Every structure is written in C-alpha cells, then in structure tokens.
Amino acid sequence: MAEPQISKTFPVKPKQKPKPRTPKQTPESKYWSSFKTKQIPNLIASINSLTFSPTAPHSFAAAHSTSLTLYNPQSQFSRSSNISLNDVVSSASFRSDGLLIAAADLSGLVQVFDVKTRTPLRRLRSHTRPVRFVKFPVADKLHLVSGGDDAVVKYWDVAGETTICDFLGHKDYVRCGDWSPNDSNMFITGSYDHTVKLWDVRDKDSSSVTEVNHGKPVEDVMFLPSGGLIATAGGDSVKIWDLIGGGKLVYSMESHNKTVTSICVGKVGKLSGEEAQQYRILSVALDGYMKVFDYAKMKVTHSMRFPAPLMSVGFSPDCMTRVIGTSNGIIYAGRRKNKEDVESGSDEELTKYERRLKKLGSGNALGLGPVAEEPRIRVLKPTSFRYFRRGQSEKPSERDYLVMRRKKVKLGEHDKLLKKFRHKEALVSVLGRTKNPENAVAVMEELVSRKKLLKCVSNLDLEELGMLLMFLQRYSTMPRYSRLLMGLTEKVIEMRADDIRASTELKGLIRNIKRAVEEEIRIQQSLQEIQGVISPLLRITGRR
C-alpha cells in the first residue's frame, strides 16, 4: 500500500507598501520650498552683505569686492545700479525711507550715497582700521552707527559728518550690530571678544547698558521684532537672549556643523492656522546649510543645502524674496509668485468645472457644439472695492480682521489745561477738588518733570496760595505723598514768606501744618519705641 503524500504549506509574508524615500513635507516646508531659486553669478568675490530696502519694490543691495550692486526683485532680479568704492565693501544699510544707503569698506571709510543717482553725499572718516558694519536706525534719518577692527563703536551725525560719541567697551574686533525696532536710542553690537553689548546713545560715558557672553566670536547679531529679545550668531550656534530679563539665555540652536556667518528675520506670510503671520530666524553657515528656526516652538522647521559656503542672508519685508550670498560670488535669489504674477487662467485659480472645460476644450466638447458656461460665483476679495461696501449687516468670515471702535477717552479739566501748557490753571483746578489727592500729586509730579512747579507757586495769588497750604496741611504727612509734599512745603514757606507774614489766615494754615508735622513725628517715635520692644522678643521666639 502506497504511503499518502503530505503537502507542506508555508505562510507567505504579505507585501508591505514601500516607505517613501523622502519624508512628507509639512505646510511650512512647502512654504519655504515655494521660493523659486535663481542664480546670480559672476560677482567675482564673496558676498559680504545683503540688505533690503524698507520701501517698495524692496530692492536689495549686495556688497561684493569693491562694488555695491542693487537688484530689483520684481524684474527677474535685474541689476538696477552699481556703486563703486575704493576698497572692499564690508557692509551696507538702507535708510528708513529707502532714499539713501550707507556703505562701509575695509579702508575705514563710511560713505552715504543717493540710491537713485549713486552720488556720494557724505564721507565719514574716523575709524583707524577696517569698518565691519554700518547701520541706520529704524526711524531716525539723521544718524547711524558703525564699528570695526579698532574695537570702537561710533555714533555719527550724518548731516554734519561728525562723530557724536565713541563707545569704548569691546576688547576685540567689532563685527556686527543692530538697532532696536522700538527705540531709536538703543542698539547692540557683537564682537570677537565673545560679548554682545546693549548701548544707549543718551549715555555718553561709553558704558554699556547690558552685556551677554555668547561664548564664541560673534559673527552676527540682531533684534527680534518684539524688541525685548535678541539673537546672536557665533561658532556653530545661534542663541536667543532676553534683554528685558537682564540678558538671560532663552535657547541655543546648535544644528549647524560649521561657523554661522549671518542671520536675519523672515516672516511666514501665506500659511493658515497657527503658523500664519509668525516670524522665523534664518541662519546660514560655512557648512552650506540654511536653517529656518521657529523660536516660538524652539525647533528647526526647514533646512536647505547649497553647494558652497554661505556668507550672508536677507529676507524682504513683503515676505516675497529671499536671497543668500556665497563665498564664491553667487547669489541664490528666491521669489514667491505674487497674485499679480499669476495669470487669471492658471490651473490654481480655476474652479473644478473650469478645469474640466479646459481639458475638453472650450469649444467643441465631444462634438456636441459649444458648451454653455456655468455662472461663476464672485467671491469678494480684500483687493476689490465691493469688499469694503458690504455694509454693517455682512457677517465677518474667518479671514476678516474685526476692527473695534475705539472708546473715547474723557480727559479731566486739569489734563486739558496741561495739554494746552496752562500750568498754573491746571494746578489751581486740581487743588479745588481735594477729594482725589492722587490727581493733585500727579499734576505736581508732571509740573516737576516740566520744571514749572516752583514757577506756578510763585505766581499764585493769596487765595490760591491758601488752597495750596490747605492741601499741604491735609496730605503732606501721609506716607504715600510725604516725599514730594514735604519738600514742596519747605519751598512754599521759603518763597512766599512775606505773603504769609502779611496774612493772618495764611499764618493759621502754617501753624496747622506745623502741628500736623509734630503729631506725625510723635507717632513715628512711638512706633519706633514699640518696635524696639517687640524686636528682641521676636528674636527670642525665633531661636526657640
């Protein structure tokens, strides 16, 4: 009898879907990848600086070799003008109105040019060694600051071609600096002595307000848009510091492999959700990478690789242009498509029905003759006139920004008089209403800051002087107001002594003030005696 054949079955491993080689892009990565990059070659030398004009069309200036070249982003990055200098250009800065540009070179000279005519308007020479950075303030049009290899930071009067102040705090080359976006009197500088210093131009004794230590030679430094944070670049790290908190280190980004050479602020302009309208730090380094850092979430959100060491980076104020300069004289300029650049018939702007018609042909679809078009529903856009004529009954959409009507501020009588610089009348007005002594003390403090209080006291007539003495009698001994009012009482008695001697009513008020002061002294002495008795008892109980 034949043995039965046994068939063996082996389990078959199911086929798995292949994993994609490239990870899925986030919306922010798609945003930064949407900048269509174009190379601007043949600039001979390293691109030391890239800076954008603050006014439309936001042209940018590239500092390379002994030239400062201006490009127009709206015309395929065509060269609009070229400014030649006598030495290698190290830095450039546009004025706030975009009409002037300052350029610093390695001969120690800072020059100011007219952007349109390329005419040199001012020559600022005071540095003894190469100048490494120059910067116009955000709002001030008459001054600028510069720093260089002589370790000196200079604050210039551009119109007079003179140095207003020299800030002598750094011990090594000063390489970079930036102005505060909120205060035209405050700026920061970074040096190869590893420190970043905050300066105030109103303080002429050359001492810095705040100082932080980056730990490596500082290559670039900038204020973040809030004005309270700064970012510093040096070594292979970018660090964020809190100036309001006394120079506290907030975070250190160490994702580069080589020296970080330049940083700037970029704004995410077209994303929806949480990422919309947020700022990012763009950093470039000698390792050829550009990193995008979200300092709200403290993480790198995008990275790009370039085939050469990167020296400078810039981002336009309208969020449309990004430029990167390399060490071999190439600018990688990227620009996003604007609404004006996109044709009305492009696939991105068409509805699903219109895309179908485009595939079939606008005329003879399947030989059935012309196809009747579906009526398009007109969507109101913020650029149209009808958008602003919708009326009050229109409900706001998600993208609308609701503007609330400002509440009208009601000013007191004394505030109105102060705005008109009628100082004595403001003081008399507030003294007549003794129910709110805070207002009267606030007015007196304002007059002290304007240096008008003693003049007002000297011009008071006898009746108004009586009102002032009555107010001082009531509130001069109160601890909240005594620091100001006791000093004012002495000045009033000293200035108006003759009037007080001639009036019995004023003499009575002075006697009342004297009694109130003596009573307050008596109370304070009693409190000190009680404190002297209680303090030893508290110490004994604390030991037990």
Side-chain angles (χ1 to χ4, degrees):
M1 184 175 177
E3 294 181 0
Q5 295 182 355
I6 300 173
S7 61
K8 295 182 179 180
T9 59
F10 298 94
V12 179
K13 189 176 181 181
K15 291 184 178 180
Q16 296 180 350
K17 293 182 179 180
K19 295 182 179 180
R21 293 183 180 178
T22 58
K24 188 177 180 182
Q25 281 191 324
T26 62
E28 184 161 344
S29 294
K30 292 180 181 178
Y31 171 81
W32 293 109
S33 300
S34 66
F35 287 83
K36 304 303 178 184
T37 303
K38 177 185 176 182
Q39 290 189 26
I40 305 175
N42 304 326
L43 295 183
I44 305 172
S46 172
I47 312 299
N48 297 322
S49 171
L50 290 168
T51 179
F52 276 89
S53 172
T55 58
H58 301 295
S59 301
F60 68 91
H64 59 96
S65 185
T66 60
S67 299
L68 189 65
T69 308
L70 276 67
Y71 295 90
N72 187 356
Q74 293 187 349
S75 58
Q76 299 296 322
F77 300 105
S78 62
R79 184 179 299 188
S80 58
S81 62
N82 188 73
I83 300 172
S84 297
L85 285 84
N86 296 328
D87 210 325
V88 176
V89 185
S90 58
S91 177
S93 175
F94 281 95
R95 201 171 70 171
S96 58
D97 55 5
L99 299 178
L100 302 182
I101 185 170
D105 60 35
L106 300 188
S107 68
L109 180 64
V110 177
Q111 298 186 68
V112 180
F113 296 90
D114 188 322
V115 174
K116 290 184 179 179
T117 63
R118 298 176 294 171
T119 306
L121 303 177
R122 294 290 185 272
R123 294 169 62 88
L124 311 177
R125 182 179 289 279
S126 180
H127 286 280
T128 58
R129 300 190 69 182
V131 182
R132 295 296 179 175
F133 90 92
V134 63
K135 198 77 174 179
F136 271 109
V138 176
D140 188 359
K141 299 179 181 179
L142 303 176
H143 304 91
L144 58 80
V145 68
S146 64
D149 289 355
D150 53 4
V152 180
V153 180
K154 293 182 178 292
Y155 181 55
W156 295 91
D157 176 12
V158 178
E161 295 185 274
T162 56
T163 305
I164 298 175
C165 183
D166 288 347
F167 296 95
L168 309 172
H170 289 292
K171 300 177 182 178
D172 207 336
Y173 301 159
V174 180
R175 303 289 292 192
C176 51
D178 192 21
W179 283 92
S180 169
N182 302 329
D183 189 351
S184 294
N185 296 313
M186 309 289 289
F187 68 93
I188 52 175
T189 55
S191 170
Y192 272 11
D193 62 3
H194 301 189
T195 63
V196 174
K197 295 179 182 290
L198 174 68
W199 308 93
D200 190 337
V201 299
R202 295 165 294 190
D203 185 7
K204 298 297 191 298
D205 61 354
S206 298
S207 61
S208 59
V209 179
T210 305
E211 177 182 329
V212 299
N213 193 321
H214 184 83
K216 294 289 180 65
V218 181
E219 299 287 347
D220 201 2
V221 65
M222 68 176 179
F223 272 95
L224 296 181
S226 64
L229 299 175
I230 63 170
T232 60
D236 58 356
S237 64
V238 176
K239 297 183 180 181
I240 300 174
W241 307 83
D242 183 7
L243 291 182
I244 299 175
K248 180 183 177 182
L249 177 62
V250 178
Y251 190 80
S252 178
M253 182 193 76
E254 300 176 355
S255 61
H256 287 283
N257 299 321
K258 293 185 179 180
T259 302
V260 182
T261 53
S262 180
I263 54 176
C264 73
V265 172
K267 189 176 182 182
V268 179
K270 293 293 182 180
L271 290 182
S272 58
E274 295 181 357
E275 291 85 3
Q277 303 297 319
Q278 290 185 0
Y279 291 96
R280 304 286 187 265
I281 296 176
L282 277 65
S283 62
V284 295
L286 296 180
D287 58 5
Y289 278 94
M290 182 204 74
K291 305 280 185 177
V292 180
F293 180 66
D294 182 358
Y295 60 90
K297 299 180 180 178
M298 301 301 175
K299 66 177 183 178
V300 176
T301 57
H302 187 66
S303 178
M304 290 185 68
R305 177 81 165 89
F306 292 88
L310 307 181
M311 302 300 295
S312 52
V313 63
F315 196 80
S316 64
D318 60 356
C319 310
M320 298 301 297
T321 310
R322 180 217 64 219
V323 289
I324 297 171
T326 66
S327 62
N328 57 0
I330 297 176
I331 297 177
Y332 291 93
R335 183 166 176 82
R336 298 179 66 250
K337 285 188 177 181
N338 199 2
K339 288 185 177 180
E340 288 82 4
D341 302 332
V342 178
E343 296 179 359
S344 59
S346 64
D347 287 339
E348 295 177 359
E349 300 294 328
L350 297 177
T351 63
K352 185 185 288 186
Y353 179 77
E354 290 171 326
R355 284 198 295 269
R356 246 178 100 198
L357 287 179
K358 193 172 181 182
K359 287 181 180 178
L360 296 174
S362 57
N364 245 343
L366 301 177
L368 298 177
V371 181
E373 290 190 3
E374 241 180 34
R376 273 183 80 182
I377 301 174
R378 295 190 64 183
V379 180
L380 291 178
K381 297 181 179 179
T383 55
S384 64
F385 178 70
R386 288 179 61 244
Y387 180 85
F388 297 96
R389 293 292 300 274
R390 293 175 295 174
Q392 295 181 354
S393 59
E394 184 75 18
K395 293 182 179 180
S397 62
E398 294 181 359
R399 297 184 180 181
D400 285 340
Y401 179 76
L402 193 60
V403 179
M404 306 300 295
R405 182 175 294 177
R406 291 184 178 180
K407 293 183 179 180
K408 192 174 181 180
V409 180
K410 293 183 179 180
L411 296 176
E413 184 66 25
H414 55 278
D415 288 326
K416 294 178 182 178
L417 293 170
L418 283 174
K419 287 184 72 174
K420 296 178 182 178
F421 299 97
R422 294 159 65 178
H423 301 124
K424 176 193 165 184
E425 296 176 22
L427 179 61
V428 173
S429 171
V430 79
L431 288 175
R433 302 172 184 177
T434 55
K435 292 183 179 179
N436 294 323
E438 295 90 353
N439 293 342
V441 174
V443 171
M444 291 178 184
E445 290 176 345
E446 177 64 23
L447 293 176
V448 168
S449 64
R450 297 187 185 188
K451 300 180 180 179
K452 297 293 182 182
L453 181 58
L454 296 181
K455 186 176 180 181
C456 293
V457 170
S458 63
N459 292 333
L460 294 175
D461 57 27
L462 293 180
E463 184 180 353
E464 295 166 348
L465 182 60
M467 293 170 58
L468 176 59
L469 292 175
M470 195 176 298
F471 178 83
L472 294 174
Q473 172 197 337
R474 290 185 181 181
Y475 301 107
S476 62
T477 56
M478 292 183 66
R480 290 176 61 187
Y481 314 124
S482 60
R483 179 176 295 182
L484 173 66
L485 296 184
M486 289 304 297
L488 178 61
T489 304
E490 292 180 9
K491 288 290 183 181
V492 170
I493 295 173
E494 180 184 341
M495 295 172 61
R496 304 299 296 268
D498 296 336
D499 296 327
I500 294 171
R501 291 193 195 97
S503 173
T504 55
E505 183 180 353
L506 297 180
K507 285 181 181 179
L509 292 173
I510 294 296
R511 283 193 293 271
N512 293 338
I513 293 174
K514 185 178 179 181
R515 291 194 199 100
V517 172
E518 290 174 349
E519 181 65 23
E520 183 65 24
I521 292 173
R522 199 178 302 113
I523 292 171
Q524 293 296 329
Q525 289 175 347
S526 302
L527 291 174
Q528 286 182 352
E529 292 173 0
I530 295 171
Q531 185 180 7
V533 173
I534 293 175
S535 296
L537 298 175
L538 292 176
R539 290 177 184 173
I540 294 170
T541 55
R543 289 175 184 174
R544 290 180 181 178

